[in-house]
Amino acid sequence: MATAQVRAEAPGSGLNDDIGEAKRLAMYRSQLRIREAEQRAYDLFLQNLVKGTSHLSLGQEAVASGFAEAMQKGDLSFCTYRGHAHTLARGVSVEKVLGELMQRDNGLMRGKGGSMHLTSEEHGVMGSYAIIGAHLPIACGAAWRAQYKGDKDVSVCFFGDGTTNIGAFHEALNFAAIWKLPVVFVCENNLYMEYTPIGDVTAVPHPAADRAASYGLERIIIDGNDADAVYRAAQKAFAKARAGEGPSLIEALTYRHSGHSRADPAKYRPEGELEKWKERDPIKIYRERLQQFGISDKVIAEIDASVRKEVDDATETCKAAPMPPADILTTDVYADGGWAWRN
Amino acid sequence: MAEITYRDAVIRGIAQEMKRDNDVVFLGEDVAKAGGVFKATVGLYEQFGPLRVRDTPISEQAILGAAMGAAMTGLKPIAEIMFSDFFAVCFDYIANEFPKSRYMSNGQTKCPLVVRTGNGAGSRFGAQHSQSVENWCMMIPGLKVVAPSSPVDVIGLLAAAVRDPDPVIFLEHKSLYPTKGEVPDGEIVDKLGTAKVVRPGRDATILALALMVPRAVEAADRLKAEHGIDCEVIDVRSLVPLDTQTILGSVARTHRLFTVEENPRLCGWGAEIVSIVADEAFYDLDGPPVRITTPHIPLPAADVLEDMMLPTVERIVDTVRRSLQG
Ligand SMILES: Cc1ncc(C[n+]2csc(CCOP(=O)(O)OP(=O)(O)O)c2C)c(N)n1
Ligand SMILES: [Mg+2]
């Protein structure tokens, strides 16, 4: 997709279009916050302070920020192991996320879940799931509850291109369609599963969108690097869900700037591919968008500085935070708070 | 008091809980309009309507996943997996999702649901529709696992499972569906984690589960009548939580332990109990604990072959008699 096309979307006159200044500033801040936090997670990994694995969303920030901005309080996010971005986008603090990645006591789950399972119910983040496809049916269930109880919230389920080839994807799509559930499935097509290009292992060119017709759904492909495009697609799908008109499947084209996980130098990518996508870096696109709308460099610089400060402060807090204590080892296996399996 | 079948007890148990609580919903394949392939849910659709009793596609992952999402956000779903063998195609939810989310989220999420399923042999359906999978479930931290043997226990334990805040696997034995038992009138609510002494005795403790309970009781009657051996039969009922106190108390009185297990031998529930007894009551024992199990072989279809596999009354009688009288 050419940059010119992206530019064409911006009317260039004033700020009173369907998105408006406040939301644009919020989406800029949100994307930058994810960028800085993910970059920091990578740096901390190099310092051996982020342990275990981690899957960064560098380059995919616009999907998380665009969807989160369109969500209302009470809407539910279901994420994958590549879920830091979506967790941050729903308003969870950088400290809680970095703390969990660093496996400290101040982490979101006090080190009991780790980077792949970020969960914050109070923010509507209903879990990050590390078994490919598992959370699509779970999101259906949350949406079923909303339908049954007459609640107006929407369940939003994020996953990758590779996920479209597992059975649970197809079971969930059919299930959501026949029950007309208020759920929105978002495929972040970053062109790769772990290391294999998605095109090498998928029967159709668009792994999600080309399957939509099988479930009676509209074929929707969006520019996942343009937060405005993401926001608009999200609004439309949410309105449909809230109106009782059933699920949507959205394929957002994007690209991860880093490897699949921290262990992956991403040598399998053809030369020049990363550079090409970096020209379409979502943050770069959005900074230009703000400028086109006449937002001053000073306002942008203030956001940049405050985001960096949040990430810096969080880093220092996490470095000073204690490790989790042994007494949480056996808590919360069962609902009584403990782990007793016998008397 | 009325005499009803195990099958009708399932219907009554579900109905009791759905009447009590509007948040209880029920989903599965062929469960609503058709009343279930075992006819164990007949009439629920008519009584509770299409919003609460729902037919699903043949999508076991969607069934369990949807149950979980609904449970996490405020409903109390009962999901049916037609045959317990099919747990293998949706095991992710049973092994990775239901039982881990509370722990991984440091207590933020909940998962109060029940998975009902037709378990066990006797229908001559062969290796993929006859298994006893209680051992698949028992080994997973975070799950609760129940297997009733009588109509009254079906109602009481199902009610307890629905009201329990944790995910519960509820194993109904297919061969018990037509069996009958006395059931009191009115609401019945039992307690998970409680074994039941179904036949008191002094000479040996026999532990059994589900279809093996009536066989153990019949064997005990014969051991008494024919050999003068007085066995105590305990229906374990709940594998997790496990009522070890009732078991250890019985072993302390009888000094001998037998388990009668339909699951294949390796890692069967009896192995765990024998290890507990060995650890904690070794000096109460007057002889080695003995496990009577289905051998480590896939189940054959032919009735004569299947009958040779499962522990029978004769095998229980012979094993206990030989162990005690040499
Ligand atoms: C059932 C299952 N199979 C395989 C894996 C290993 N795995 C982890 S991430 C991944 C790639 C997923 O690709 P995609 O859905 O495109 O998501 P992305 O990582 O690109 O965000 C694989 C194969 C897994 N976690 N679960
Ligand atoms: Mg991918």
Side-chain angles (χ1 to χ4, degrees):
Chain A
M1 228 165 283
T3 316
Q5 201 184 328
V6 174
R7 288 236 167 81
E9 270 188 38
S13 61
L15 293 163
N16 293 322
D17 69 345
D18 59 321
I19 297 179
E21 179 175 3
K23 285 206 162 68
R24 283 223 167 73
L25 290 176
M27 283 196 278
Y28 176 69
R29 172 185 287 275
S30 167
Q31 291 180 82
L32 191 69
R33 205 166 154 263
I34 296 166
R35 171 64 53 91
E36 295 288 327
E38 292 283 63
Q39 197 62 57
R40 184 60 51 89
Y42 187 72
D43 296 345
L44 290 166
F45 153 60
L46 293 178
Q47 295 166 46
N48 215 17
L49 286 167
V50 161
K51 297 180 227 166
T53 186
S54 57
H55 304 78
L56 306 179
S57 288
L58 292 169
Q60 302 183 204
E61 296 89 346
V63 181
S65 299
F67 269 95
E69 190 57 37
M71 282 187 218
Q72 298 175 1
K73 197 168 166 15
D75 288 341
L76 303 177
S77 304
F78 293 82
C79 320
T80 68
Y81 50 89
R82 196 180 304 289
H84 317 163
H86 297 290
T87 305
L88 289 164
R90 293 304 304 275
V92 176
S93 75
V94 175
E95 183 204 324
K96 290 271 177 205
V97 171
L98 283 184
E100 191 64 26
L101 268 57
M102 292 165 74
Q103 306 186 349
R104 305 281 170 139
D105 197 35
N106 68 338
L108 195 51
M109 298 90 73
R110 301 185 72 188
K112 289 175 80 168
S115 77
M116 297 202 285
H117 299 293
L118 298 178
T119 304
S120 184
E121 274 219 12
E122 62 173 301
H123 296 91
V125 181
M126 297 305 291
S128 303
Y129 297 80
I131 308 296
I132 296 294
H135 61 315
L136 283 84
I138 297 172
C140 288
W144 173 31
R145 178 268 322 152
Q147 182 188 62
Y148 178 75
K149 292 204 163 204
D151 297 339
K152 279 292 159 214
D153 60 280
V154 177
S155 292
V156 190
C157 184
F158 301 97
F159 52 89
D161 44 280
T163 303
T164 64
N165 290 325
I166 203 163
F169 168 87
H170 298 273
E171 290 195 13
L173 262 291
N174 183 58
F175 192 91
I178 55 169
W179 287 19
K180 273 199 157 199
L181 297 175
V183 57
V184 176
F185 298 104
V186 184
C187 175
E188 297 183 61
N189 182 356
N190 61 12
L191 305 183
Y192 293 88
M193 33 189 280
E194 277 187 82
Y195 311 141
T196 303
I198 194 63
D200 290 3
V201 293
T202 309
V204 288
H206 281 283
D210 288 344
R211 266 87 173 246
S214 306
Y215 305 105
L217 300 175
E218 195 188 332
R219 185 178 189 277
I220 304 173
I221 299 171
I222 63 168
D223 178 356
N225 278 18
D226 181 343
D228 283 359
V230 173
Y231 175 84
R232 290 191 177 108
Q235 284 283 44
K236 210 170 145 204
F238 294 172
K240 178 183 170 196
R242 282 190 235 282
E245 288 161 23
S248 300
L249 172 62
I250 297 170
E251 180 171 328
L253 303 180
T254 185
Y255 193 79
R256 60 169 154 74
H257 290 177
S258 55
H260 165 74
S261 65
R262 61 176 241 180
D264 172 26
K267 293 279 191 243
Y268 43 82
R269 301 195 286 208
E271 206 174 325
E273 187 178 80
L274 174 62
E275 290 64 31
K276 198 182 111 235
W277 277 92
K278 278 195 167 171
E279 285 167 22
R280 301 218 56 254
D281 180 330
I283 308 237
K284 180 169 156 252
I285 289 174
Y286 219 68
R287 205 176 268 137
E288 286 169 14
R289 180 74 42 78
L290 294 185
Q291 288 161 343
Q292 286 160 21
F293 275 98
I295 290 168
S296 73
D297 289 348
K298 181 164 164 284
V299 170
I300 295 173
E302 276 167 14
I303 294 175
D304 293 0
S306 91
V307 164
R308 278 191 195 115
K309 182 165 170 6
E310 185 191 357
V311 174
D312 286 344
D313 290 351
T315 307
E316 292 318 308
T317 308
C318 290
K319 280 182 178 168
M323 298 301 168
D327 63 18
I328 64 167
L329 255 184
T330 55
T331 58
D332 293 317
V333 178
Y334 292 103
D336 63 6
W339 66 300
W341 54 270
R342 56 167 283 189
N343 61 9
Chain B
M1 231 22 174
E3 188 173 69
I4 66 169
T5 60
Y6 187 97
R7 168 184 289 120
D8 287 341
V10 174
I11 300 172
R12 189 166 139 190
I14 298 173
Q16 173 185 301
E17 293 309 294
M18 291 192 77
K19 233 178 285 165
R20 179 186 59 81
D21 184 352
N22 264 322
D23 286 342
V24 179
V25 288
F26 176 44
L27 77 167
E29 294 162 18
D30 299 318
V31 299
K33 289 181 198 142
V37 294
F38 303 115
K39 297 284 167 247
T41 57
V42 170
L44 294 171
Y45 176 78
E46 289 72 16
Q47 191 175 354
F48 297 102
L51 292 180
R52 297 184 69 191
V53 180
R54 301 200 70 163
D55 282 323
T56 68
I58 307 166
S59 300
E60 278 75 12
Q61 299 191 75
I63 293 168
L64 294 193
M68 177 171 172
M72 289 172 82
T73 55
L75 297 185
K76 304 269 291 177
I78 303 172
E80 176 175 312
I81 296 296
M82 195 184 284
F83 286 78
S84 64
D85 313 67
F86 309 162
F87 278 12
V89 301
C90 49
F91 207 54
D92 178 39
Y93 295 93
I94 294 167
N96 291 320
E97 312 298 344
F98 303 159
K100 308 274 184 349
S101 65
R102 180 184 292 276
Y103 187 82
M104 294 196 301
S105 69
N106 191 35
Q108 292 179 67
T109 60
K110 57 182 176 181
C111 190
L113 57 80
V114 178
V115 181
R116 293 179 41 245
T117 191
N119 193 45
S123 307
R124 315 341 187 162
F125 288 164
Q128 297 179 341
H129 287 73
S130 306
Q131 295 172 87
S132 286
V133 305
E134 50 270 24
N135 50 342
W136 297 4
C137 306
M138 188 186 184
M139 64 188 176
I140 299 162
L143 284 185
K144 291 179 177 171
V145 185
V146 204
S149 71
S150 68
V152 67
D153 282 3
V154 165
I155 301 172
L157 291 174
L158 188 57
V162 170
R163 296 176 197 200
D164 196 85
D166 289 307
V168 182
I169 306 296
F170 192 83
L171 302 159
E172 294 163 14
H173 202 292
K174 296 194 288 290
S175 290
L176 290 173
Y177 280 132
T179 61
K180 288 187 173 171
E182 289 288 328
V183 170
D185 299 330
E187 187 183 80
I188 303 173
V189 188
D190 209 322
K191 217 168 156 287
L192 304 184
T194 54
K196 210 185 215 173
V197 177
V198 288
R199 184 192 189 286
R202 285 175 293 111
D203 299 333
T205 298
I206 304 179
L207 306 181
L209 192 73
L211 180 65
M212 297 298 107
V213 174
R215 294 191 185 185
V217 169
E218 195 186 330
D221 289 344
R222 275 182 43 189
L223 281 159
K224 185 75 194 288
E226 296 166 19
H227 306 286
I229 298 171
D230 184 22
C231 293
E232 178 147 302
V233 178
I234 295 179
D235 182 350
V236 178
R237 305 200 312 161
S238 175
L239 294 177
V240 185
L242 184 66
D243 182 3
T244 54
Q245 293 312 315
T246 296
I247 295 165
L248 291 168
S250 176
V251 171
R253 286 192 304 276
T254 66
H255 310 294
R256 292 301 300 254
L257 176 65
F258 297 85
T259 67
V260 188
E261 305 166 50
E262 187 176 334
N263 50 209
R265 186 167 186 88
L266 297 198
C267 307
W269 56 263
E272 188 57 50
I273 293 178
V274 166
S275 108
I276 292 169
V277 170
D279 278 348
E280 300 175 28
F282 186 74
Y283 297 104
D284 286 338
L285 290 169
D286 283 346
V290 178
R291 293 179 59 211
I292 304 164
T293 74
T294 297
H296 207 60
I297 298 175
L299 288 166
D303 51 5
V304 290
L305 296 176
E306 193 185 63
D307 286 344
M308 286 185 234
M309 297 280 280
L310 265 56
T312 55
V313 173
E314 288 68 34
R315 182 137 71 96
I316 301 166
V317 169
D318 279 359
T319 310
V320 174
R321 186 190 52 74
R322 249 185 281 134
S323 301
L324 264 65
Q325 300 181 337

